[in-house]
Amino acid sequence: MNNIRIILAGPRGKMGQEALKMIVETPHFDLVAAVDSKNDGLQVKDLSGAPQSMEAPVYDDMENCLAAVKADVVVDLTRPDIGKKHLELALNHGLRTVIGTTGFSNEDLERLTALAEEKQTGAIIAPNFAIGAILMMKFSQMAAKYLPDIEIIEKHHDQKLDAPSGTALKTAQLITEVRDEKKQGHPDEKEDLKGARGAELEGIRIHSVRLPGLVAHQEVIFGGEGQVLTIRHDSMNRASFMPGVRLAVESVMNIEGLVYGLENIME
């Protein structure tokens, strides 16, 4: 296997720091550059928390980086607005891309899917990289065929910007593929405090919790006559996402077009 040359956007973030460690520990991965808004001209090893063996340049602009560096894959672990921009730039330069941010609208996905097809270049957008979380989503889709009354509770750290999480939305979307739209609860139910029942997607209620101390957690609760089934996943730290990032980087090398959700590349 030829080594995969990677540009990492967001190396100073918590996910980015874990990704740097993962790249160092993966023999067939080479970091050739990083994109960071504040440290143009430095080496990656100069960044706080970065492995000292990483002698790759830092750019403050993705366009400049792509013009200067030969790479195979751009990995973006930043914010939705930046991730969208970087994905479009990478596709236009013919580079494969792995995006680890959420917040992509249906319109965004349609536009970027068309661009990936036009450029015949692979891209993966993953709302969640944790393998256990992907299995949680798959199991939830299976259960929804038999227990269609469902509520989702997702819990994240208080620095997360979007709500509900991309994982919760993706879970609900997968469930709607096998479940007819259904109004849940009492037909005369009302909220005495607006938002008490959470958000709603085709009758599925989604609740978001944001607290310090949390990382990424989700439970999908199914109610049936005389029974309750709960499918739950907890990420205790961001190292739990790295096997999924590694899988996405390896898989995107053999993909043409855009794939939304890691479950689509897991057998």
Side-chain angles (χ1 to χ4, degrees), residues 2-46:
N2 293 329
N3 281 15
I4 299 173
R5 297 168 297 180
I6 298 170
I7 295 170
L8 176 67
R12 285 186 297 115
K14 292 179 180 178
M15 279 283 286
Q17 290 184 7
E18 290 293 340
L20 290 176
K21 296 175 189 175
M22 181 273 293
I23 292 168
V24 166
E25 294 167 359
T26 305
H28 56 284
F29 284 3
D30 288 333
L31 184 76
V32 294
V35 176
D36 179 83
S37 61
K38 296 182 178 179
N39 293 287
D40 188 54
L42 296 182
Q43 293 285 305
V44 172
K45 67 179 182 179
D46 299 324

Side-chain angles (χ1 to χ4, degrees), residues 14 23 41 47 56 100 118 163 177 238 266:
K14 292 179 180 178
I23 292 168
L47 302 179
E118 175 191 337
E177 294 176 8
R238 289 166 181 82
M266 289 176 59

Side-chain angles (χ1 to χ4, degrees), residues 202-220:
E202 295 194 12
I204 303 167
R205 294 290 183 170
I206 306 175
H207 311 266
S208 296
V209 177
R210 299 289 179 266
L211 288 171
L214 296 171
V215 178
H217 317 263
Q218 180 170 297
E219 54 187 273
V220 188

Side-chain angles (χ1 to χ4, degrees), residues 45-59:
K45 67 179 182 179
D46 299 324
L47 302 179
S48 176
Q52 291 302 296
S53 60
M54 285 192 150
E55 296 187 359
V58 179
Y59 295 83

